[in-house]
Amino acid sequence: MLKLEFPKGFLWGAATSAHQVEGGNHNDWTEWEVANANRLADEASRKNIQNPSPYEGEGPANGGRVRLDSPLNPQNYISGLACDHYNRFHEDFDIAKSLNHNAHRFSIEWSRIEPEEGKWDEKEIEHYREVIKALRERGIEPFVTLWHWTNPVWFANRGGWVRNDSPLIFARFCKKIAESFPDVKYWVTLNEPEAFPRHGYLTKDRPPAKGGLLQMFKALQNLARAHKEAYATMKKVNKSFCIGYSESSVYFEPFNRMPQNILAMKFLRWWRNNPFFGRMAENSDFIGLQFYFHTRVRIGSKSQWWFQFNENKKVSDFGWEIYPEGIYHVLKELKKYNKPIYITENGLADAKDRYRAEFIRDHLKWMHKAISEGVDVRGYLHWSLLDNFEWQQGFWPRFGLVEMDYKTMERKPRQSAHTYAKIAEENSLEV
Ligand code: BGC
């Protein structure tokens, strides 16, 4: 048996985001959820999406009751109380500590801190002070995200990220937070800033669900500027802050060596992975990598001009291919930026916990290979600590190391959480 050791001081933990776990938020997403819940439930019923969760299913067996987290139930699409993490964070951090986590990524909800433009809610700042304190008391390093896709309603209503002054408005919020928590070391300004414009303005399956290509580019550009502004402003507050951003990088490979497939792969790699890494890496102390996807690209099939031809030997409950080797290739690609890298997300929807332990072990094995070849990876934060509200899919996908019973709010670490806890404790992996 071989023991793969990770660098000394490696950070091990999990990630969450405010809107997905806290409950009781009011932002542009909550408004969108209410407006779209019935439509999403209808669509799920037309597509016959099944709930893979091991709980009792809906239908005649349980007297026709439809569970909260059934894709067929409109309530599934409303974040509502979520995991009530806002009130139960002590309990959740106790669990994280019992699982040997020494770092935790969470986000501060902008709409709580600045419910009206330019007005700060000191009570909410106090709340996050408690959150940070609770982590520190348990020896867990906070990794604070400043924007994880949700916006205050006033910001969204006044044009959101297509507004020219949006970067400055966001940087003002970041400054307030930085001044409030000068002792936090790790900051993630933006979570996957590429995804928000793509879904919001192009595919329109998430808020603001309007606009088009032009607005998408505008928002992309403003988000990149927002990161830069936030970085500069926050560094003035404390120059030893370690500030980065998180981006999801896809491992693209050509289906075969046909020139058109290689070319298409190169274009997609550039388009999907570069707009942010390229521009934002300069103004960052580290890169946050979120790894979920692998795509084998093939041009010119019958029905579409390009196609994804993954082997899909194993897929998550979401149908996403499980391809751990991809993390190695993506890490090698990121080496060119010459920055420390933290894996700020990597995980899968797996209600029955069939693949999660193996998924973690395999990704860590490939991550270790990248480290041994000189990539400066300093931490791994699994997505997610808890099952949570998975955006437009709602509650049914189960990403947690810890299983949530949404009826009783009981939390129960899954078997895979213990596999991960052992790796974290030993700072090594036996293969
Ligand atoms: C997002 C998370 C999300 C996860 C799984 C990431 O891109 O940052 O909020 O839950 O993917 O879909």
Side-chain angles (χ1 to χ4, degrees):
M1 199 165 276
L2 192 62
K3 198 169 188 178
L4 306 178
E5 303 271 355
F6 290 92
K8 216 166 151 256
F10 201 80
L11 296 183
W12 296 106
T16 60
S17 91
H19 190 70
Q20 294 177 270
V21 296
E22 278 183 353
N25 280 316
H26 186 70
N27 54 36
D28 60 343
W29 258 91
T30 27
E31 301 216 328
W32 184 87
E33 288 158 20
V34 173
N36 288 277
N38 287 330
R39 174 183 64 80
L40 291 168
D42 280 353
E43 279 173 16
S45 135
R46 253 180 285 125
K47 290 183 199 152
N48 195 20
I49 297 181
Q50 301 293 325
N51 189 347
S53 155
Y55 296 114
E56 244 178 274
E58 62 262 16
N62 73 351
R65 271 181 292 119
V66 177
R67 305 157 38 124
L68 163 76
D69 63 341
S70 160
L72 312 183
N73 184 351
Q75 286 305 314
N76 170 66
Y77 302 96
I78 301 213
S79 57
L81 249 194
C83 309
D84 195 25
H85 175 74
Y86 187 84
N87 296 307
R88 297 173 194 242
F89 63 90
H90 286 110
E91 180 185 349
D92 292 337
F93 297 160
D94 281 344
I95 296 175
K97 183 175 155 66
S98 76
L99 296 172
N100 303 322
H101 295 192
N102 62 12
H104 178 72
R105 175 176 173 231
F106 68 96
S107 74
I108 291 187
E109 175 61 29
W110 183 7
S111 61
R112 287 188 187 273
I113 305 291
E114 195 177 357
E116 284 176 58
E117 181 157 14
K119 294 205 176 130
W120 310 114
D121 187 331
E122 296 296 333
K123 261 197 347 280
E124 294 291 355
I125 294 179
E126 201 41 47
H127 167 78
Y128 288 107
R129 184 163 292 123
E130 287 298 314
V131 169
I132 292 164
K133 188 166 144 234
L135 285 170
R136 290 229 186 275
E137 280 168 357
R138 290 164 178 78
I140 301 177
E141 184 69 39
F143 242 81
V144 183
T145 307
L146 290 154
W147 180 81
H148 199 123
W149 296 347
T150 51
N151 302 298
V153 173
W154 58 263
F155 177 79
N157 287 349
R158 288 176 213 166
W161 287 103
V162 294
R163 241 174 96 143
N164 286 337
D165 56 356
S166 51
L168 296 178
I169 298 176
F170 177 68
R172 184 180 61 193
F173 157 68
C174 296
K175 178 165 183 267
K176 177 72 184 171
I177 296 296
E179 286 169 350
S180 306
F181 309 118
D183 58 328
V184 165
K185 180 169 178 200
Y186 297 102
W187 299 95
V188 173
T189 53
L190 303 172
N191 178 74
E192 296 191 15
E194 175 274 336
F196 175 86
R198 182 161 44 86
H199 285 283
Y201 298 104
L202 199 64
T203 52
K204 301 193 180 84
D205 54 345
R206 293 182 187 172
K210 60 180 181 200
L213 208 59
L214 264 179
Q215 283 80 359
M216 181 186 81
F217 280 113
K218 185 85 196 158
L220 269 172
Q221 197 184 26
N222 282 337
L223 282 157
R225 278 179 52 216
H227 169 76
K228 200 169 157 187
E229 291 289 344
Y231 183 85
T233 315
M234 292 175 72
K235 280 286 189 180
K236 278 189 210 143
V237 177
N238 183 348
K239 63 177 181 328
S240 57
F241 278 159
C242 206
I243 307 172
Y245 60 97
S246 283
E247 195 45 278
S248 145
S249 211
V250 179
Y251 173 47
F252 288 108
E253 57 173 345
F255 178 71
N256 54 26
R257 302 311 297 169
M258 297 291 279
Q260 67 269 33
N261 294 337
I262 295 180
L263 217 76
M265 174 279 290
K266 285 198 169 154
F267 169 75
L268 285 168
R269 191 179 280 179
W270 170 84
W271 161 249
R272 182 67 166 69
N273 297 347
N274 267 342
F276 279 93
F277 283 133
R279 268 191 288 166
M280 291 166 48
E282 273 167 48
N283 296 294
S284 294
D285 303 315
F286 68 87
I287 287 175
L289 168 66
Q290 331 227 113
F291 181 72
Y292 290 99
F293 301 113
H294 162 235
T295 296
R296 299 205 306 160
V297 186
R298 180 181 185 175
I299 273 276
S301 96
K302 281 177 214 139
S303 53
Q304 273 167 291
W305 69 271
W306 73 274
F307 229 154
Q308 195 170 310
F309 263 94
N310 293 2
E311 287 174 309
N312 286 333
K313 285 186 187 147
K314 265 186 206 154
V315 294
S316 72
D317 294 345
F318 244 168
W320 293 357
E321 186 195 26
I322 299 176
Y323 194 76
E325 182 183 334
I327 199 167
Y328 164 78
H329 297 284
V330 164
L331 284 168
K332 294 284 279 194
E333 267 177 54
L334 292 176
K335 190 167 186 282
K336 63 178 181 241
Y337 297 117
N338 216 5
K339 303 271 173 183
I341 299 172
Y342 293 89
I343 311 295
T344 42
E345 284 184 31
N346 171 235
L348 79 169
D350 181 14
K352 296 188 180 129
D353 207 32
R354 277 182 303 173
Y355 298 132
R356 191 172 284 102
E358 190 190 350
F359 176 103
I360 294 174
R361 288 175 49 81
D362 289 348
H363 279 82
L364 294 181
K365 194 177 85 192
W366 283 103
M367 181 180 88
H368 188 273
K369 180 168 163 62
I371 296 173
S372 69
E373 292 174 18
V375 185
D376 185 7
V377 187
R378 299 191 184 177
Y380 175 88
L381 301 165
H382 188 77
W383 185 268
S384 177
L385 179 63
L386 306 170
D387 287 338
N388 60 47
F389 180 73
E390 177 56 24
W391 307 111
Q392 72 271 43
Q393 280 81 19
F395 285 107
W396 74 259
R398 303 281 186 149
F399 275 88
L401 289 167
V402 177
E403 181 178 0
M404 278 290 308
D405 179 334
Y406 290 110
K407 237 191 237 150
T408 60
M409 290 292 170
E410 193 194 335
R411 285 85 164 127
K412 207 159 72 199
R414 294 191 159 97
Q415 202 45 46
S416 54
H418 298 296
T419 304
Y420 182 47
K422 184 163 181 285
I423 300 168
E425 183 179 25
E426 294 175 358
N427 199 36
S428 68
L429 169 70
E430 280 180 5
V431 288

